[in-house]
Amino acid sequence: MASDQKPTVVITGTSSGVGLYAAKALVKRGWYVVMACRDIPKTEKAAESVGIPKDSYTVIHLDLGSLASVRQFVQDFRATGRSLDAFVGNAAIYMPLLKEPLWSPDGYELSMATNHLGHFLLANLLVEDMQKSKYHDRRLVILGTVTHNPDELGGKIPPRPDLGNFEGFAAGFKAPITMADGKQFEPVKAYKDSKVCNVLTILEMNRRFADITGITFSSLYPGCVADTPLFRNHYPLFQKIFPWFQKNITGGYVSQELAGERVADVVADPAFRKSGAYWSWGNRQKKNGKAFVQQVSPQARDNEKAKRMWELTEKLVGLA
């Protein structure tokens, strides 16, 4: 561990929203944060705006949509000489209005490339660093979403996620293939599919690595952060109505700050040291809402599907 002896966490997507407030919450708890994001000046300005002390963080460039950028980030992090004690995969893109797919530098559909493939590669590379840490309580966390789960109200709204048998991944996932199941492009489903893959990643990492590394692997849904920049690519009217609906109708609304605190809990609170858990909160709007381990969707708890996802994703990101 570096000379200041603070535990270190890498958090993706820290220029705004939940990632920014998770960084703030963990700094308050004595952590040093490596803020991984595409826009360094924007992130530095955001950190200053919420009062994160400059000696409590480093910003390193990361574009999760580019596998080369992911590998460069890992090199840049290792060059700092810091021990790595926790990782939070928070960043995500959601582009519901797209008529045609966008492509990553590697030729993959951009939502899946950013939300799943980039995080999968980054988490696998950083596990190596976390194994070297002497910290007593190392944790790797990837955020989930209620929309991954058709058993919940938020997940019943079509289109529902469906990974099929990963026909799209198996066929190489290059143009014209845009979806994990090989079917026609649908931007909302692409996002939901990628989030199911995030939960499956934690399921399989827990199976493969928890016992041999002592690392805690977990996921969470902190509540509906309806005013997060995640929705910046939606209709302006939706951006106005959705927070009101979540606050007054569903009761699912959670502020960016409270969501950040919940992420910090899953990273640092002893009560959340349970590998393989998917954390959620009762009375999600309330600061004292009780945390519990929630059952994920049938797809996201399917061990055979997790293994197939893992093996195919390894090939797509160049780890196989």
Side-chain angles (χ1 to χ4, degrees):
M1 193 173 289
S3 58
D4 61 10
Q5 294 298 301
K6 287 183 178 179
T8 298
V9 57
V10 166
I11 307 177
T12 66
T14 48
S15 63
S16 63
V18 177
L20 176 63
Y21 283 98
K24 178 182 178 180
L26 283 163
V27 165
K28 282 197 305 183
R29 299 177 193 212
W31 284 67
Y32 188 92
V33 178
V34 176
M35 304 173 83
C37 56
R38 287 180 295 178
D39 190 331
I40 291 176
K42 178 183 177 183
T43 304
E44 290 173 339
K45 188 174 181 180
E48 183 179 2
S49 74
V50 298
I52 302 177
K54 288 188 175 181
D55 62 354
S56 299
Y57 70 91
T58 297
V59 184
I60 300 178
H61 180 264
L62 171 65
D63 178 357
L64 280 163
S66 164
L67 300 177
S69 178
V70 172
R71 293 181 183 278
Q72 184 61 51
F73 171 85
V74 173
Q75 288 186 30
D76 293 342
F77 169 74
R78 289 172 179 168
T80 69
R82 300 195 71 91
S83 173
L84 183 62
D85 310 301
F87 168 73
V88 178
N90 159 75
I93 59 170
Y94 175 53
M95 299 176 289
L97 306 183
L98 287 182
K99 302 299 183 188
E100 298 292 335
L102 297 178
W103 304 98
S104 77
D106 305 286
Y108 301 133
E109 187 278 319
L110 191 59
S111 296
M112 184 63 77
T114 302
N115 301 347
H116 169 54
L117 300 182
H119 274 128
F120 180 92
L121 176 60
L122 184 57
N124 271 276
L125 295 176
L126 291 180
V127 160
E128 299 174 22
D129 298 78
M130 293 178 69
Q131 283 183 268
K132 298 172 186 174
S133 165
K134 304 299 184 191
Y135 192 62
H136 67 283
D137 187 1
R138 297 154 296 153
R139 302 189 194 180
L140 190 150
V141 180
I142 302 179
L143 269 70
T145 170
V146 69
T147 61
H148 97 275
N149 191 353
D151 293 339
E152 284 207 74
L153 176 62
K156 293 184 185 300
I157 301 167
R160 297 185 182 185
D162 184 1
L163 299 168
N165 195 32
F166 293 99
E167 291 88 349
F169 279 13
F173 201 52
K174 293 283 179 79
I177 301 168
T178 59
M179 304 295 286
D181 61 3
K183 294 183 180 178
Q184 186 175 354
F185 178 66
E186 209 299 323
V188 175
K189 182 175 178 296
Y191 169 78
K192 292 180 179 180
D193 285 352
S194 73
K195 298 307 292 180
V196 177
C197 286
N198 287 157
V199 181
L200 285 171
T201 297
I202 288 296
L203 177 68
E204 188 66 2
M205 291 192 99
N206 176 61
R207 187 185 73 82
R208 288 172 178 251
F209 302 134
D211 288 343
I212 62 173
T213 65
I215 296 170
T216 297
F217 298 92
S218 57
S219 189
L220 74 149
Y221 173 59
C224 184
V225 191
D227 50 8
T228 174
L230 178 67
F231 298 109
R232 62 184 174 271
N233 294 311
H234 217 305
Y235 292 114
L237 184 61
F238 175 90
Q239 295 178 48
K240 290 181 179 179
I241 292 175
F242 190 53
W244 178 89
F245 182 79
Q246 291 293 340
K247 288 176 184 177
N248 298 290
I249 305 300
T250 70
Y253 173 83
V254 169
S255 70
Q256 296 176 45
E257 193 151 11
L258 178 55
E261 289 285 351
R262 287 174 173 173
V263 173
D265 282 341
V266 175
V267 171
D269 191 310
F272 291 81
R273 192 176 186 179
K274 181 179 177 61
S275 199
Y278 180 93
W279 294 99
S280 192
W281 279 261
N283 300 317
R284 286 178 175 139
Q285 283 184 309
K286 297 182 179 180
K287 286 191 175 183
N288 60 351
K290 189 172 177 60
F292 64 97
V293 176
Q294 185 169 38
Q295 181 167 267
V296 296
S297 74
Q299 277 195 106
R301 61 178 186 265
D302 185 326
N303 288 319
E304 290 305 313
K305 195 173 285 287
K307 290 178 191 175
R308 181 160 172 79
M309 175 279 298
W310 186 278
E311 291 164 0
L312 292 171
T313 303
E314 277 188 320
K315 293 177 182 178
L316 294 177
V317 303
L319 281 177

